[in-house]
Amino acid sequence: MRTYPFDFDPSQPFVQQASEWIADVFYDILPEAGFEVRDEQIYMAFQLERAYTEKQTIFAEAGVGTGKTLVYLLYAIAYARYTGKPAIIACADESLIEQLVKPEGDIAKLARHLDLVIDARLGKSPDQYICLNKLDEARTEPDEAADLYRDIHRELPDFVHFPDSMQSFYPYGNRKDYPELTDEQWDRLGWDVFQDCLVCSQRHRCGQTLSREHYRKSEDLIICSHDFYMEHIWTYEARKREGQLPLLPDHSSVVFDEGHLLETAAQNALTYKLKHAQFEGIITRLLEGEVRETLAVAVEEAIAQSEALFVLLERTSRHVQASDRKELVLSETLMREVGRFRDLLAAIDEEIVFESGLFSLDPYQLKIVEEHLEMIQLALGLFNEPEQLISWVSEDKEGITLVIMPKKVKEVLKEMVFVKKMPIVFSSATLSVDGSFDYTAQSLGIEQFLSFSVPSPYDYEQQMNASLYLDKGGKMKQALQLLQQTEGRALMLFPSKEELLLFKKDLALYPESEAFRFLYEGSAEISHLISDFQQDEHSILCAVTLWEGLDIPGPSLSHVLIWSLPFPPNDPVFMAKRSDAQHPFEEVDMPYMLLRLRQGIGRLIRSRDDRGIVSIFGKELEQESVRKQVCALLPDDNEGMNLC
């Protein structure tokens, strides 16, 4: 028996009844609990009614303070109970997920004030969980950190250590459970794409596996990241072929919070990463048994060619400033070596056909190898279409990784996501460009959609003061003086990790900085850092990824300081976009920077009572065209400001 939050009449359209209940929530129930009536919120509710009735995609652009999250949550929960399938709430990253489900978050508010029991469960990305194999490696390494990892291992649940019968299993090993670990420390034990979970002997005791069993049973909401939802889409068919369940269950609707970032997540999910050691470990499984000599020779030749290819990549790739990626040089030599590697993989495919008829290979292992070979061939096939290829090289202590990404994903999105007859909501304060949603829709392959836009109810002219500063000599002293004006209470935003680390290094040269407590992204788990910043009113949070979604009303965040204008990096992804543009700076760099800057500025005013300042540094502000467009994002009283 499904439980609805209102008296349901089966003879009447469900969405219409849900909409009437939602109107009562905003007009009567929440105001009685102390919430203000917001016209923008009620307007949004009526717009979403049509999207759910017609099962359409809708772009819901709503400014800060409109209460858009409460609106889409109410529709998602009601519709999930009607269909018997959970709704998916996909957030831009893990920190936004934590803000949605925190004890004082919007889900908790609805449950408390509407007397609802809301079944909301987290579907976190695999890299947010401990990998038991990596933990085993870390705790046996001959270094000082081994004690830390041994302590973590000892504290794991008993069922991890002792495979006894009649035990109670439950999810564990979440990144959030280890808030004091730095990102670097977590990387040594957190799951990564090079782990082969299908043949892992510990998979049934793995926290990631157990978490999936947990969130799949949700009746109302599953909350995940954009990246995780896209991974679900791209791996759906492959997992079914391998006899596995898809990452997410069938669902009734999808909400993409901060939906303007979905294209990047889609590209990331379609990205293939290849290491020589990983390839060798997979392909040699074909030699586990009495196989024909021709197959063994083909495998050995492919391994040798893979090794030669990665030696070439290491020798010819070029470092990219302000990026951890190295540029791939598409020379004739590289193209020839990739082609030879693909030919050898094709030869192995042919040999497998003959070998499988002899039943000399383990069917399960064979299926895994075939899946990997198919993915490698698809990825390397993009080298035959350089205009559709984005590729680069990354390097760590374990060696070189070749990363391959398709340039355009809208065709795949169109076929696998937006063709479904299902309500899909894009929610953000920044979805349109010059009042039009066409740019976002076209980049995602969406042909038919509904849309609306409502402004923020806040009085930015009265609540915010903004100043622009040239990025020149004395920048650090000037920034510290600005931080003194608000006695800390600041969010500092950096365009790249490299700039943040350089700031941290240079800051040690200024004794006056000791008056402040600086918190740095990467020094601990992100939601822990955010909570610490909010509780320590005079602290300063320095971040690279918090341009979107951070919601901290009150005096703890009274100052947003933009260390430099957030232009896109010179990495292969944006180099490819620039190469396709007739005017790269105007068509690629400026729109990206202005969208990100608009989001960053939006972190300051989160309630009607908030007051604060925005300080924006940038050497590009010397250019009048850039300065004018930046000023256009600021309150009217600031448009005529002097450049400091």
Side-chain angles (χ1 to χ4, degrees), residues 585-622:
F585 186 74
E586 292 80 6
E587 297 174 29
V588 178
D589 291 16
M590 280 300 293
Y592 175 93
M593 184 276 288
L594 292 170
L595 182 64
R596 202 153 176 79
L597 183 62
R598 186 176 163 194
Q599 285 282 350
I601 293 169
R603 299 313 98 213
L604 181 65
I605 304 301
R606 310 301 298 180
S607 75
R608 293 187 189 277
D609 297 326
D610 282 349
R611 300 289 186 275
I613 63 174
V614 173
S615 304
I616 302 173
F617 286 83
K619 60 181 182 295
E620 298 87 357
L621 291 170
E622 290 189 46

Side-chain angles (χ1 to χ4, degrees), residues 538-636:
H538 294 277
S539 62
I540 299 165
L541 178 57
C542 303
V544 176
T545 65
L546 297 179
W547 295 80
E548 293 98 358
L550 184 67
D551 185 17
I552 300 182
S556 291
L557 208 173
S558 299
H559 187 179
V560 172
L561 193 152
I562 312 291
W563 185 248
S564 43
L565 293 178
F567 283 100
N570 291 317
D571 68 12
V573 175
F574 285 97
M575 288 168 65
K577 290 188 175 185
R578 293 182 186 106
S579 68
D580 289 343
Q582 188 173 1
H583 304 288
F585 186 74
E586 292 80 6
E587 297 174 29
V588 178
D589 291 16
M590 280 300 293
Y592 175 93
M593 184 276 288
L594 292 170
L595 182 64
R596 202 153 176 79
L597 183 62
R598 186 176 163 194
Q599 285 282 350
I601 293 169
R603 299 313 98 213
L604 181 65
I605 304 301
R606 310 301 298 180
S607 75
R608 293 187 189 277
D609 297 326
D610 282 349
R611 300 289 186 275
I613 63 174
V614 173
S615 304
I616 302 173
F617 286 83
K619 60 181 182 295
E620 298 87 357
L621 291 170
E622 290 189 46
Q623 303 174 41
E624 185 178 359
S625 60
V626 173
R627 189 166 63 252
K628 280 186 176 180
Q629 292 185 72
V630 169
C631 286
L633 302 180
L634 303 171
D636 290 341

Side-chain angles (χ1 to χ4, degrees), residues 284-453:
T284 51
R285 293 177 190 175
L286 295 175
L287 305 180
E288 296 174 0
E290 296 182 5
V291 298
R292 293 176 305 117
E293 183 180 355
T294 51
L295 174 58
V297 170
V299 168
E300 293 299 330
E301 288 180 346
I303 291 173
Q305 179 60 21
S306 171
E307 188 171 14
L309 176 60
F310 277 86
V311 169
L312 177 64
L313 291 172
E314 185 173 14
R315 190 175 71 246
T316 60
S317 56
R318 298 186 296 218
H319 174 69
V320 177
Q321 188 175 1
S323 175
D324 57 358
R325 300 168 177 176
K326 300 175 76 174
E327 182 184 356
L328 197 66
V329 181
L330 294 178
S331 63
E332 290 185 11
T333 302
L334 177 61
M335 302 296 279
R336 184 172 61 251
E337 293 301 306
V338 169
R340 184 164 184 269
F341 188 36
R342 292 193 69 207
D343 291 341
L344 290 170
L345 295 181
I348 291 174
D349 276 334
E350 293 180 6
E351 292 294 335
I352 286 175
V353 173
F354 289 107
E355 201 70 40
S356 60
L358 301 175
F359 303 101
S360 58
L361 297 172
D362 178 81
Y364 183 69
Q365 294 285 356
L366 179 59
K367 185 182 293 186
I368 294 171
V369 174
E370 287 178 325
E371 287 289 344
H372 278 286
L373 290 180
E374 182 181 356
M375 290 299 298
I376 294 172
Q377 282 282 35
L378 284 171
L380 294 178
L382 287 171
F383 280 86
N384 291 336
E385 304 175 86
E387 69 280 358
Q388 296 297 326
L389 171 69
I390 300 174
S391 188
W392 66 88
V393 168
S394 61
E395 186 173 8
D396 57 28
K397 64 179 182 179
E398 296 179 356
I400 290 288
T401 301
L402 174 62
V403 185
I404 303 168
M405 172 189 289
K407 186 176 292 185
K408 295 180 180 178
V409 298
K410 64 180 182 180
E411 291 81 6
V412 186
L413 281 169
K414 179 181 176 181
E415 294 174 7
M416 300 181 71
V417 180
F418 301 115
V419 73
K420 298 177 181 179
K421 196 68 175 174
M422 177 175 66
I424 299 176
V425 179
F426 284 81
S427 175
S428 176
T430 52
L431 285 171
S432 64
V433 178
D434 294 330
S436 171
F437 296 91
D438 290 345
Y439 173 80
T440 303
Q442 290 169 8
S443 67
L444 295 171
I446 301 173
E447 294 180 348
Q448 293 185 328
F449 59 90
L450 306 173
S451 65
F452 68 89
S453 182

